[in-house]
């Protein structure tokens, strides 16, 4: 039986692309790959809120390697964007290529005598995931404030997030993972709790 790191998946990024980047962590200073096996991908996608997560299938380690390589292209693009660089022509071309993997169209239907519309995907679930992740980054590059893309304030945490809070003061990947611990530690230091 393969050991899986799926219990470490989190949804703290605020954007699908950032949650994909957060599938790499660190433990004791060493890089920790959370998408370790093909069966990890649908589990991560489910945690990330992808509605078709259980339909996603990767058939080989080579396909998983391809996805992890795509993730690193996205990581570099987001890092450069955060530093103020414009999106490179290579990144734009790659995003457009991935967006094209899942052509979508509007379909009309009748629901209880009323005309309705729905967006219909024509790609397989893995193609949809690539397109959705690429769309997530494309929308960030086109509309988000780069100063709100941040790393967790916990020095030992490797997660990043997009701060959607109204005041724009979010510091932690999440209160449950890092913020609460830091506040408890600060409280103990201020009040001498735990000292003899």
């Amino acid at each position: 039986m393969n050991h899986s790191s799926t219990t470490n998946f989190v949804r703290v990024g605020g954007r699908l692309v950032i949650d994909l980047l957060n599938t790499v962590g660190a433990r004791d200073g060493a890089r920790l790959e959370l998408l370790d096996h093909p069966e990890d991908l649908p589990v991560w996608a489910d945690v990330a809120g992808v509605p078709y997560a259980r339909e996603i299938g990767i058939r080989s380690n080579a396909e998983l390697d391809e996805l992890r390589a795509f993730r690193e292209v996205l990581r570099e693009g987001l890092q450069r964007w955060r530093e103020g660089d414009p999106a490179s022509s290579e990144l734009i071309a790659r995003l457009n290529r991935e967006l094209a993997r899942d052509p979508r169209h509007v379909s009309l239907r009748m629901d209880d005598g009323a005309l309705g519309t729905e967006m219909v995907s024509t790609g397989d679930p893995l193609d949809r995931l690539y397109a959705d992740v690429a769309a997530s980054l494309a929308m960030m590059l086109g509309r988000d404030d780069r100063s709100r893309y941040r790393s967790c304030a916990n020095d030992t945490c490797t997660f990043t997030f997009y701060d959607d809070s109204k005041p724009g003061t979010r510091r932690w990947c999440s209160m449950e993972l890092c913020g609460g611990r830091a506040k408890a530690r600060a409280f103990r230091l201020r009040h001498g709790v735990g000292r003899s």
Side-chain angles (χ1 to χ4, degrees), residues 88-113:
S88 69
S89 58
E90 294 85 8
L91 179 62
I92 292 169
R94 177 70 188 260
L95 291 176
N96 283 332
R97 193 167 56 249
E98 301 307 340
L99 287 164
R101 287 177 71 153
D102 183 30
R104 298 170 190 194
H105 64 276
V106 175
S107 177
L108 295 171
R109 59 177 166 28
M110 292 298 287
D111 278 334
D112 297 325

Side-chain angles (χ1 to χ4, degrees), residues 9-55:
F9 292 133
V10 295
R11 183 179 182 181
V12 298
R15 303 288 185 272
L16 182 61
V17 64
I18 299 173
D19 284 330
L20 179 61
L21 299 184
N22 288 338
T23 59
V24 173
R27 181 172 293 145
D28 300 324
R31 180 182 170 102
L32 178 64
E33 176 60 65
L34 302 178
L35 289 176
D36 205 29
H37 306 285
E39 59 271 14
D40 292 337
L41 183 61
V43 176
W44 165 78
D46 189 48
V47 169
V50 174
Y52 50 89
R54 300 213 186 280
E55 301 167 28

